[in-house]
């Protein structure tokens, strides 16, 4: 099979690791041609705790993606989440003297570089400098200034950062598995990219990706990112709550959560019961399903309120701009009635977000838990037109190591 341009995404989550091979055609359409997945061992709340186990998880996921795609994967773009992720909004400007100048990509690159030079420190690294809007001559607001004439160009940017040591450790582990790290994409940026519609981005929307170890937060308004954050709590905490309350192994607690879990106790009657096996016992005991659901509801509501309280207390103006509702994604978004619980907590319209605008493997990845994986490919595709092309894989059957400049040139014309 002839490949166009390949982007490989490696999403290393607390619960599972996913490798996707995306084939991007000359019109910017994404087709997933390879998929591999493995349970993740050695991660806790988005951080690596046992490197060797994470390496094994990566290798299993990559092997699956290679088998299904026929692509030999040598490098990939990696997700970043966890408590070291932070964001801020910054602005800078260029002046061109008294002469009017046609703005080009080089000017935007210079503005971006000024942001990098100002914010990069020994202990933190910029992952993304995402343009929000540009202002020409202190008055005209434009989303893309290229081709416009002006004597001053100001840019407003959303900056996503992470601790240098955390990124270095992640890079070391990935490359110890035999995969070269090409670049990083923050979880909340990837998830929002894959699940949102343009109208939501314009109106103001909050995206919550609740995964196994983290809850990733993104707020967008007027078409651009305003706030991103990763909170170190997720579905794994719910599993531990169940295990502790009923004194059962974590594996049994996870099974109970998936098979019988609901997000609100009002959805269950008092007469439903479940047999479980406590640790060290061969004899089952019977518990109320309502007690199980109550355990899940309490922790889920806490997670949602942590996000709401943080936004209301620290970003009240931004929180009041969320007019397009809430989008829940990530594996925990599969919990029945979580939409209703979130609507109660936020007093906003809520929908469940699944990755969109791609083809291939829809039977496998058309679910909230793959929002980050698909979003990595879509985000890198969308910004590649403004950067030097990155080759992220090798194909044993076809030559895809050629430069991608023609591809990105065509993308510019389209977008």
């Amino acid at each position: 099979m002839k490949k166009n341009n390949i982007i490989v995404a490696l999403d290393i989550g607390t619960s599972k690791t996913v490798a996707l091979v995306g084939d991007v055609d000359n019109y910017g359409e994404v087709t997933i041609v390879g998929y591999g997945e493995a349970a993740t061992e050695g991660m806790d709340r988005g951080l690596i705790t046992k490197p060797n186990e994470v390496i094994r998880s990566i290798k299993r996921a990559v092997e699956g993606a290679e088998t299904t795609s026929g692509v030999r994967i040598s490098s990939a773009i990696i997700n970043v989440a966890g408590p070291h992720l932070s964001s801020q909004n910054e602005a800078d400007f260029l002046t061109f003297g008294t002469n009017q100048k046609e703005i080009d990509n080089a000017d935007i690159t210079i503005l971006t570089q000024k942001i990098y030079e100002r914010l990069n420190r020994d202990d933190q690294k910029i992952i993304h400098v995402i343009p929000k809007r540009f202002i020409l001559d202190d008055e005209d607001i434009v989303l893309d200034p290229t081709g416009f004439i002006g004597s001053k160009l100001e840019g407003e940017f959303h900056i996503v950062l992470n601790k240098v040591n955390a990124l270095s450790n992640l890079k070391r582990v990935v490359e110890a598995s035999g995969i070269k790290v090409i670049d990083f994409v923050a979880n909340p940026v990837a998830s929002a990219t894959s699940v949102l519609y343009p109208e939501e981005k314009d109106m103001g929307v909050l995206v919550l990706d609740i995964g196994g170890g983290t809850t990733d937060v993104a707020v967008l308004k007027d078409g651009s990112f305003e706030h991103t954050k990763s909170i170190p709590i997720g579905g794994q905490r719910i599993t531990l709550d169940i295990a502790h309350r009923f004194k059962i192994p974590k594996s049994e607690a996870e099974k109970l959560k998936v098979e019988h879990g609901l997000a609100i106790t009002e959805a269950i009657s008092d007469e439903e019961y479940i047999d479980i096996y406590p640790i060290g016992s061969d004899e089952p005991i019977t518990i109320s399903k309502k007690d199980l659901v109550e355990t899940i509801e309490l922790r889920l509501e806490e997670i949602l309120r942590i996000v709401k309280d943080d936004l209301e207390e620290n970003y009240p103006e931004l929180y009041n701009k969320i007019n397009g509702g809430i989008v829940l994604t990530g594996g925990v978004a599969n919990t029945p009635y979580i939409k209703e619980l979130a609507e109660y907590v936020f007093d906003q319209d809520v929908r469940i977000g699944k990755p969109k605008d791609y083809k291939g493997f829809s039977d496998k990845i058309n679910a909230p838990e793959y929002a980050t994986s698909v979003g990595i490919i879509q985000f890198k595709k969308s910004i590649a037109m403004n950067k030097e092309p990155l080759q992220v894989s090798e194909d044993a059957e076809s030559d895809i190591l050629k430069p991608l400049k023609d591809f990105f040139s065509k993308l510019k014309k389209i977008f």
Side-chain angles (χ1 to χ4, degrees):
M1 177 175 62
K2 184 181 184 298
K3 306 295 191 300
N4 293 294
N5 300 284
I6 297 296
I7 299 177
V8 177
L10 188 58
D11 174 9
I12 307 168
T14 301
S15 299
K16 69 178 183 304
T17 298
V18 177
L20 293 183
V21 181
D23 183 16
V24 185
D25 69 18
N26 288 346
Y27 299 96
E29 297 292 328
V30 174
T31 300
I32 306 301
V33 297
Y35 157 84
E37 181 175 326
T40 302
E41 303 292 340
M43 292 280 290
D44 182 30
R45 292 172 294 178
L47 299 175
I48 296 169
T49 56
K50 298 178 181 179
N52 289 336
E53 293 186 7
V54 176
I55 290 169
R56 284 193 289 270
S57 300
I58 293 171
K59 287 182 175 180
R60 288 195 296 269
V62 168
E63 286 171 3
E66 289 181 328
T67 299
T68 54
S69 67
V71 172
R72 182 169 66 85
I73 298 172
S74 60
S75 47
I77 300 168
I78 317 300
N79 71 306
V80 180
H84 301 308
L85 198 71
S86 63
S87 71
Q88 60 195 72
N89 296 311
E90 295 287 337
D92 216 320
F93 66 91
L94 297 174
T95 56
F96 310 113
T98 57
N99 296 326
Q100 296 288 313
K101 181 186 185 300
E102 180 178 337
I103 309 300
D104 56 27
N105 284 331
D107 299 315
I108 298 174
T109 300
I110 293 171
L111 266 181
T112 303
Q113 189 60 37
K114 290 180 72 174
I115 297 290
Y116 274 101
E117 291 174 356
R118 190 167 78 238
L119 297 182
N120 259 334
R121 301 199 310 258
D122 291 341
D123 64 335
Q124 71 177 10
K125 180 179 177 60
I126 294 175
I127 303 174
H128 303 301
V129 177
I130 305 174
K132 294 166 55 180
R133 61 190 64 86
F134 295 90
I135 303 170
L136 288 173
D137 299 331
D138 295 321
E139 55 183 4
D140 294 330
I141 298 176
V142 296
L143 297 180
D144 181 3
T146 54
F148 283 82
I149 302 296
S151 57
K152 179 181 178 182
L153 174 66
E154 181 178 358
E156 297 178 2
F157 302 90
H158 183 68
I159 318 300
V160 183
L161 310 100
N162 205 69
K163 294 290 186 182
V164 168
N165 288 344
L167 287 176
S168 297
N169 290 334
L170 176 59
K171 184 173 184 288
R172 282 174 176 266
V173 168
V174 173
E175 296 195 339
S177 72
I179 303 299
K180 180 181 178 181
V181 176
I182 291 293
D183 204 354
F184 297 103
V185 175
N187 274 31
V189 171
S191 298
T193 300
S194 71
V195 303
L196 290 182
Y197 293 92
E199 295 81 3
E200 292 172 319
K201 298 178 187 179
D202 289 337
M203 292 176 64
V205 64
L206 168 63
V207 180
L208 295 183
D209 184 331
I210 311 176
T214 63
T215 295
D216 300 310
V217 181
V219 181
L220 294 88
K221 175 66 177 174
D222 296 328
S224 53
F225 287 92
E226 294 287 344
H227 174 68
T228 50
K229 189 172 186 176
S230 186
I231 300 171
I233 185 172
Q236 199 174 65
R237 182 68 255 181
I238 300 171
T239 301
L240 290 174
D241 290 344
I242 296 170
H244 292 160
R245 178 168 183 175
F246 300 108
K247 298 178 175 59
I248 58 177
K250 286 193 294 183
S251 58
E252 179 77 6
E254 179 69 18
K255 184 178 179 182
L256 274 180
K257 181 181 74 174
V258 172
E259 293 184 357
H260 300 284
L262 304 172
I264 53 177
T265 53
E266 287 81 358
I268 194 74
S269 69
D270 293 328
E271 289 75 28
E272 295 188 53
Y273 297 93
I274 309 167
D275 287 340
I276 63 171
Y277 289 84
I279 294 173
S281 175
D282 294 329
E283 297 294 325
I285 64 171
T286 300
I287 65 168
S288 165
K289 187 172 179 180
K290 194 159 192 172
D291 288 344
L292 170 67
V293 173
E294 178 188 61
T295 307
I296 296 170
E297 180 184 27
L298 286 172
R299 184 63 73 178
L300 269 180
E301 183 172 345
E302 180 196 34
I303 292 171
L304 296 172
R305 290 199 180 279
I306 286 173
V307 175
K308 181 184 180 184
D309 291 347
D310 178 53
L311 289 172
E312 282 188 320
E313 292 173 13
N314 299 313
Y315 311 94
E317 291 185 7
L318 182 60
Y319 184 72
N320 291 331
K321 293 178 181 178
I322 299 173
N323 301 314
I326 318 292
V327 178
L328 296 179
T329 192
V332 177
N334 289 313
T335 308
Y337 297 102
I338 191 173
K339 175 180 178 292
E340 288 77 6
L341 178 62
E343 287 175 338
Y344 165 73
V345 170
F346 286 98
D347 193 25
Q348 288 258 23
D349 291 334
V350 176
R351 74 172 179 87
I352 305 301
K354 299 179 182 180
K356 59 184 185 61
D357 298 335
Y358 74 94
K359 296 182 290 186
F361 284 91
S362 58
D363 59 325
K364 297 284 188 182
I365 62 175
N366 184 31
E369 57 265 39
Y370 298 102
T372 296
S373 311
V374 176
I376 290 171
I377 295 172
Q378 292 173 332
F379 179 75
K380 294 308 295 185
K381 181 266 295 188
S382 69
I383 67 169
M385 68 191 79
N386 295 319
K387 289 190 174 184
E388 286 299 310
L390 299 173
Q391 180 59 53
V392 298
S393 67
E394 297 173 359
D395 187 341
E397 298 178 356
S398 63
D399 177 19
I400 58 168
L401 295 177
K402 60 184 176 61
L404 305 183
K405 290 183 179 179
D406 290 342
F407 164 62
F408 295 122
S409 176
K410 292 176 181 178
L411 277 183
K412 287 182 184 180
K413 297 177 182 177
I414 297 167
F415 293 93

